[in-house]
């Protein structure tokens, strides 16, 4: 039986749409509606946010609010490290996906000698850098930071020295770089990315399992294939962005994309993964109740969370 700790991160400074900071509380409302005691029985830590920066001018157009993101990385990394070192399993509930780089840093700082695999269940690749970003929003960059990647061969922007300095600090957090190797990364449900990110997918031959493959081969086969690909990793982190699901379900998120996973497929993937002893942390992110109707997205996210927790407790 694994002892779990929930880490709540109500940060939305990395997103272009407002409201993701309310996602954690929307999931808690769903728990109440389903009369679940999950949030009563499991210890919780709340990470202070930097959302006040949303009211201040943006200093770096190609890495918006990067100083605040760096602060969040430090706080989350410290919490995840301490949680793992205490023998607990961290479940991170986050606002926008930018802070996942902090989660990865925390795992790596707790287990610096372990090879870390990452399963990124998301419609988007999140491998932009300040050199390539079309928006400057940092929720499109956590994997590039974790890979220690600049992607300057595909750059579209010339950066000022301050932005370069902060980006280098972000990549180097925890004094380990890179934190993840490209061959230790698997995308599931990826379907919306720019040519600069596609260049990295091809350059490193990164494993991508599209939605059609999940449907054709079935969840168990796909999970087996994923874990086989990461068989050289001692630890595996799973990041679940709700926009991995089809836009007909995932209206309550900032960047919905069609042709995504069905609710049951997403739930089964997470549940099957949670039965593997190498999974050391998972994250649910990008629930935005301001874009939703009747808290549907948060209810689906809660169902995935509840089932995953139940399996962690028995395995």
């Amino acid at each position: 039986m694994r002892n779990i700790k929930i880490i709540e991160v109500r940060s939305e400074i990395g997103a272009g749409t407002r409201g993701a900071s309310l996602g954690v509380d929307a999931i808690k409302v769903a728990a109440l509606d389903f009369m679940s005691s999950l949030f009563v029985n499991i210890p919780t830590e709340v990470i202070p946010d930097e959302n006040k920066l949303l009211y201040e001018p943006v200093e770096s157009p190609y890495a918006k609010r990067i100083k605040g993101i760096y602060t969040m990385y430090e706080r989350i990394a410290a919490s995840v490290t301490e949680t793992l070192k205490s023998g607990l399993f961290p479940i991170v509930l986050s606002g926008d996906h930018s802070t996942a780089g902090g989660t990865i840093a925390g795992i790596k700082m707790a287990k610096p000698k372990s090879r870390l695999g990452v399963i990124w269940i998301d419609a988007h690749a999140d491998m932009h850098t300040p050199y390539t970003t079309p928006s400057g929003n940092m929720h499109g960059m956590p994997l590039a930071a974790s890979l220690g990647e600049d992607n300057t061969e595909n750059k579209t922007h010339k950066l000022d020295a301050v932005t370069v300095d902060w980006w280098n600090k972000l990549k180097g957090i925890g004094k380990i770089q890179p934190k993840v190797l490209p061959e230790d990364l698997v995308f599931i449900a990826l379907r919306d990315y720019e040519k600069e990110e596609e260049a990295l997918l091809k350059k490193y031959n990164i494993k991508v399992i599209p939605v059609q493959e999940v449907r054709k081969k079935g969840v168990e086969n796909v999970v087996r294939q994923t874990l086989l690909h990461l068989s050289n990793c001692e630890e595996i982190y799973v990041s679940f962005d709700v926009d991995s699901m089809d836009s007909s379900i995932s209206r309550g998120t900032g960047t919905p994309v069609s042709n995504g996973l069905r609710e049951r497929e997403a739930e089964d993937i997470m549940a099957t993964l949670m039965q593997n002893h190498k999974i050391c942390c998972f994250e649910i992110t990008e629930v935005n109740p301001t874009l939703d109707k009747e808290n549907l997205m948060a209810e689906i996210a809660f169902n995935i969370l509840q089932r995953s927790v139940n399996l962690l407790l028995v395995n």
Side-chain angles (χ1 to χ4, degrees):
M1 176 169 163
R2 302 210 194 185
N3 292 318
I4 298 167
K5 183 167 111 183
I6 292 172
I7 299 170
E8 299 178 5
V9 183
R10 289 173 178 75
S11 175
E12 62 165 279
I13 55 173
T17 313
R18 301 282 60 86
S21 61
L22 305 169
V24 176
D25 291 309
I27 292 170
K28 288 180 142 183
V29 167
L32 288 170
D33 286 343
F34 290 136
M35 290 188 281
S36 164
S37 56
L38 184 134
F39 288 98
V40 179
N41 296 334
I42 296 175
T44 300
E45 181 183 356
V46 177
I47 306 295
D49 64 62
E50 290 292 305
N51 292 339
K52 62 178 187 289
L53 295 175
L54 295 167
Y55 300 97
E56 295 175 16
V58 168
E59 290 176 1
S60 185
Y62 305 126
K64 292 173 183 171
R65 308 178 191 94
I66 190 167
K67 291 182 194 172
I69 299 284
Y70 180 80
T71 303
M72 293 309 299
Y73 266 46
E74 284 197 310
R75 288 174 187 162
I76 294 159
S79 170
V80 169
T81 302
E82 188 268 325
T83 303
L84 286 166
K85 284 186 170 174
S86 309
L88 300 171
F89 184 102
I91 295 176
V92 183
L93 303 179
S94 58
D96 76 59
H97 217 165
S98 64
T99 55
T103 308
I104 290 171
I107 299 168
K108 200 65 189 163
M109 285 154 67
K111 300 165 186 279
K113 293 194 166 58
S114 293
R115 191 162 159 182
L116 176 62
V118 171
I119 302 171
W120 203 259
I121 307 171
D122 195 327
H124 306 93
D126 294 342
M127 286 200 295
H128 271 296
T129 77
Y131 297 96
T132 67
T133 175
S135 66
N137 297 326
M138 295 211 65
H139 68 164
M141 304 186 199
L143 274 179
S146 302
L147 291 161
E149 179 65 61
D150 292 334
N151 198 8
T152 45
E153 56 265 44
N154 295 290
K155 73 175 179 182
T156 50
H157 313 302
K158 192 171 178 354
L159 303 186
D160 61 277
V162 174
T163 303
V164 172
D165 186 45
W166 278 104
W167 175 245
N168 287 336
K169 281 171 78 172
L170 202 64
K171 288 183 299 176
I173 208 156
K175 298 186 172 55
I176 305 166
Q177 189 182 332
K179 295 169 181 69
V180 182
L181 302 171
E183 58 267 34
D184 296 336
L185 172 60
V186 177
F187 286 101
I188 298 177
L190 175 66
R191 57 197 185 280
D192 186 17
Y193 46 86
E194 281 74 40
K195 64 182 190 303
E196 296 86 358
E197 294 174 300
E198 188 177 18
L200 292 179
L201 290 169
K202 286 182 173 161
K203 176 183 174 181
Y204 296 120
N205 194 24
I206 293 171
K207 178 129 186 98
V208 177
I209 300 174
V211 175
Q212 303 86 295
E213 202 173 323
V214 175
R215 229 150 265 169
K216 195 166 100 186
K217 293 185 176 172
V219 166
E220 283 196 20
N221 272 333
V222 158
V223 169
R224 198 177 304 122
Q225 193 185 329
T226 301
L227 294 170
L228 190 64
H229 185 82
L230 300 176
S231 57
N232 292 326
C233 300
E234 289 92 10
E235 309 288 338
I236 298 173
Y237 157 69
V238 182
S239 208
F240 180 80
D241 186 322
V242 293
D243 72 25
S244 60
M245 292 186 285
D246 191 73
S247 52
S248 62
I249 326 166
S250 65
R251 283 187 300 243
T253 188
T255 45
V257 183
S258 58
N259 303 317
L261 295 169
R262 298 182 186 120
E263 183 182 340
R264 187 59 194 263
E265 288 166 337
E267 208 180 296
D268 287 351
I269 288 169
M270 288 296 285
T272 312
L273 284 169
M274 287 311 126
Q275 295 171 61
N276 188 281
H277 68 279
K278 287 186 180 181
I279 308 294
C280 64
C281 171
F282 86 83
E283 184 154 357
I284 297 180
T285 188
E286 295 278 358
V287 172
N288 186 337
T290 68
L291 304 171
D292 207 3
K293 285 193 175 124
E294 296 169 350
N295 210 27
L296 179 69
M297 187 80 267
E299 289 187 353
I300 292 168
F302 173 74
N303 285 335
I304 291 168
L305 172 66
Q306 178 79 71
R307 192 166 159 203
S308 300
V309 164
N310 291 346
L311 284 159
L312 286 170
L313 292 175
V314 296
N315 277 307

